[in-house]
Each structure stands twice: as C-alpha cells, then as structure tokens.
Amino acid sequence: MSHMRGRGASAAAFALTLGIVLAGGVALRPVEPAQSAAIVDTTPTEDVATSVSLAEPVAAAKSIPTVTIAELLPTPVAAPASVVFPEMKHVWQSLNNCGPAAVVMALSTLGVDANQETARLALRGTDVRRGMGPQGVGPWVKENFDLRSTWRNGGTIDTIKALVANGFAPMVTQWMQDPWVSRIAHWRTVRGYDDAASVVYVNDSMLGNMVPLPYEWFGRNWQSFSYRYMVIYKPEDEKLLNAIMGPQVSDAVMRRDLYQRAKSEALTQNTNFAWLALGEAAYSYGMFEEAVAAFEKGLSMGSPNGVFGLRNSYPQALRALGRQQDAERAAQALNSISAVPSSTVVAPPDPYALYLAMLRITPIERIPTE
C-alpha cells in the first residue's frame, strides 16, 4: 500500500528542488504569506514556557489535500470490550533483534512460521548494532510471503483496539521499560486488550508472552517514538485496513494531526519527552522554526539518550533554516545518544516535510509539475 497518495509528481519534483537548495545552505523561511493548498494549523499557538516561542503557521489553507478513495470501503467491526488473538507465536529475541522477532510473532497470526535469524539478516543485516526500521519490512514480506506491510505515526489506544478487533496484529515502537529505568527503544507485538483491566496484551521478545501493559503506561512509553505502529496484512485486507486508518492513510493528514497532538501534549505535560516529541512532529510537518524551539526546550529539561530520531531531525531542521554551523554542532553533540549507527536512523532530509514547508510560502499553482 502506497503512502504517496495525494502527493503526485509535483511533490516529488519540488522536493528534489528543495533538497538541492537546502544543500547550498539557503534558509527556508517565509518572506510574505501566500495562499496554498497545504495543510496548515490555523489555531493560534498558546503561551508556552519561558524562552520558547512556538511559531504560528504562516498561511491559512483554503483547502486540505486528502485521500480520494474511489471504491467503497468495508465497515470495520466495532471494538468490543476485550479481544485477544488465540494463537500468536512467542519468541525470545537474539541480540538487539526485537524488530525481526516482533515481525515473526505478527506473521504467526497470518499462518506464517518465519525464522527469527532469517528475518534478522533480511531486516537488519549482519551488524548487530543496527536496529530495524519499518521501511524494509514491506518488501521482505511481499517477496517471501505475498503479504503487505504499512506503518504510520500518531497511533492511539483506540487505533490499536480497532486493529486487533478486525484481525490485525500491530507492532509498536516504545521504550522497553520506563525511560528512568533504561533507555532501550523496543518493538513489541500487540496480542489483545481488555477494557475492564485497562491493559494491552503484548507478545514481547524480552518480557514474555501475553504481557499486560496498562493503557496509561502503553501511551506514555509510546510518545517518544511518534506513536508509531506497523501492520502486516494480506493484500485482500487492504481496504479494511484503510477503513480503520481513515484519513490517516494520507501522509499530509497524518503529519498535521500528529503535530497538533504533540503541541497539545507539550503544553499540557511540559516534560522533556513531550517537547522532544513536538520537535519531531513539527519537523515532520515542515514547521522548522517551531521544531528547533521545541527540541531546544526539551534538551534543556532532560537527557535525550535513546530518542534516536533526534539525531536526524534536529540537525535537519537547523539546516532547513540555513543554520549550517549550528546543525553540524548539533549533529556532533547528538551522535552518541543511541547505540544504533547514525546512518540507519532515517534518510535525511525529509522531502515531504520540505514540500509542506514550501507550500506555506509558495502558491501551489507556481510549483513545478515536471
């Protein structure tokens, strides 16, 4: 399933142009407001803690690009009070292999008995230091099992419940334990939930089979990873999955909603994790000045250790603003916050974030289409 819907050739071509411009150190700053079709937040930013000023959007949108779905989508089953997969394989992970182990456990619900070490070599390679990103899972399961995989940011407990109730076994990226105990980013596979006990049940390659995690704990330890979830599914179930995800199928909508959610959480929670999460969300949405302010606020409040995306997003936000020397200093200072080699974190820069940022200062009719 592609997540490029709604972007079109103009986004790809213009993002390439932006990458060339930014490589030369030209700041991406608005000179004067211009109307465009970008999704932008029109809600004024509230007052925030001392020394941090969150940027307000430059231009209000007259229209919002959304996913156009020509075919009728099935109606998902409403999530009942409790659902658990009756059968899900559990595996104890090999060294640093939580991602492939989670994939193997999710595959078992689709009748696939995969080998953890085979998955490790395909999804992480031979370097035991490397973690697993979601990007390589789709091609691997398609080639080997004729399955599909998709991942999104901005998941909620309700998202997880809807997926499980409709037969999907989502994987999530969270802290393995509370971050004041250890700072280990960790994939785990959701097996079920129970509203009466307010728990999500997970098969965890480090903690065990059918481990109950309280809803509050689950959400709190998900925040630092943009509430990311991944689903492996059969091709014939794609329409049902789209119906569950709804507007979140669109990258633009997903990024806007995560940005608005992260802003609200940063202002209400006022923790270093919430501010760093806002930085990630603002960067993803192309709000680079706000991203830098949020990152710096979060860094001033506590350690960033283990928040691996920060090594890419903070320097890239600075580069997008033309602050090349600051970006190099930030990249050097953040290089050791995660044991995962920096080249595997995420490919810089985020072209769609650049595209959304430019839409705020360039009328859409002036964007090249070829």
Side-chain angles (χ1 to χ4, degrees):
M1 177 171 56
S2 171
H3 293 306
M4 298 297 290
R5 302 177 185 181
R7 300 186 193 181
S10 62
F14 203 48
L16 177 60
T17 302
L18 287 170
I20 295 172
V21 170
L22 291 179
V26 178
L28 191 60
R29 294 175 182 271
V31 176
E32 60 183 37
Q35 298 296 330
S36 78
I39 294 182
V40 294
D41 177 19
T42 58
T43 305
T45 303
E46 303 175 32
D47 292 335
V48 296
T50 304
S51 80
V52 177
S53 175
L54 300 186
E56 293 189 13
V58 176
K62 288 189 175 182
S63 64
I64 294 178
T66 58
V67 178
T68 301
I69 302 176
E71 70 277 14
L72 292 176
L73 296 180
T75 300
V77 172
S82 178
V83 176
V84 173
F85 277 94
E87 299 290 338
M88 179 185 285
K89 180 179 180 179
H90 177 264
V91 296
W92 298 103
Q93 71 176 71
S94 55
L95 180 62
N96 199 28
N97 208 46
C98 61
V103 168
V104 165
M105 291 187 280
L107 285 171
S108 73
T109 67
L110 298 169
V112 175
D113 187 15
N115 178 272
Q116 177 183 178
E117 290 307 300
T118 301
R120 176 182 70 84
L121 292 172
L123 301 175
R124 288 179 49 224
T126 57
D127 188 342
V128 296
R129 299 173 302 166
R130 296 187 184 278
M132 185 195 80
Q135 298 88 347
V137 175
W140 184 68
V141 298
K142 181 178 181 181
E143 179 181 354
N144 289 277
F145 314 113
D146 193 28
L147 296 171
R148 304 293 184 268
S149 176
T150 188
W151 62 279
R152 313 303 289 148
N153 292 328
T156 65
I157 294 292
D158 285 342
T159 306
I160 295 299
K161 290 167 59 177
L163 289 167
V164 174
N166 285 273
F168 300 101
M171 292 153 278
V172 295
T173 311
Q174 300 175 326
W175 294 118
M176 187 178 76
Q177 300 171 287
D178 283 309
W180 50 86
V181 177
S182 67
R183 297 286 182 94
I184 300 174
H186 188 60
W187 284 99
R188 46 176 54 105
T189 306
V190 177
R191 183 166 182 173
Y193 66 88
D194 187 341
D195 283 343
S198 295
V199 296
V200 174
Y201 294 108
V202 300
N203 273 20
D204 189 297
S205 59
M206 286 290 288
L207 303 180
N209 183 38
M210 272 286 287
V211 178
L213 301 176
Y215 285 168
E216 188 275 334
W217 190 99
F218 191 92
R220 173 163 44 84
N221 285 284
W222 202 8
Q223 180 183 49
S224 293
F225 307 97
S226 299
Y227 302 104
R228 182 172 68 186
Y229 64 97
M230 177 168 59
V231 181
I232 298 173
Y233 61 96
K234 297 177 181 178
E236 58 266 31
D237 290 333
E238 182 166 311
K239 291 181 181 180
L240 176 60
L241 182 58
N242 283 347
I244 293 170
M245 294 192 298
Q248 295 291 317
V249 172
S250 162
D251 263 359
V253 172
M254 177 189 72
R255 291 171 187 239
R256 177 200 62 187
D257 290 353
L258 179 62
Y259 164 70
Q260 293 175 340
R261 174 182 176 182
K263 179 190 291 187
S264 175
E265 290 177 348
L267 294 169
T268 56
Q269 297 173 11
N270 197 31
T271 65
N272 80 306
F273 290 121
W275 284 103
L276 293 177
L278 173 58
E280 293 286 346
Y283 169 72
S284 174
Y285 192 45
M287 305 290 285
F288 299 124
E289 291 191 16
E290 187 165 347
V292 169
F295 282 137
E296 292 176 352
K297 176 64 177 176
L299 289 168
S300 74
M301 297 175 70
S303 170
N305 284 344
V307 187
F308 53 83
L310 182 63
R311 292 186 309 190
N312 174 75
S313 303
Y314 181 31
Q316 287 298 340
L318 289 165
R319 291 188 181 101
L321 297 173
R323 296 171 57 181
Q324 300 295 333
Q325 292 183 342
D326 290 339
E328 294 307 314
R329 282 193 290 267
Q332 185 175 9
L334 295 172
N335 188 52
S336 63
I337 66 173
S338 172
V340 178
S342 59
S343 62
T344 69
V345 176
V346 67
D350 183 336
Y352 200 42
L354 299 174
Y355 175 63
L356 290 174
M358 188 57 76
L359 281 180
R360 295 187 178 94
I361 60 174
T362 304
I364 195 166
E365 62 272 11
R366 287 166 47 191
I367 294 177
T369 58
E370 296 181 357

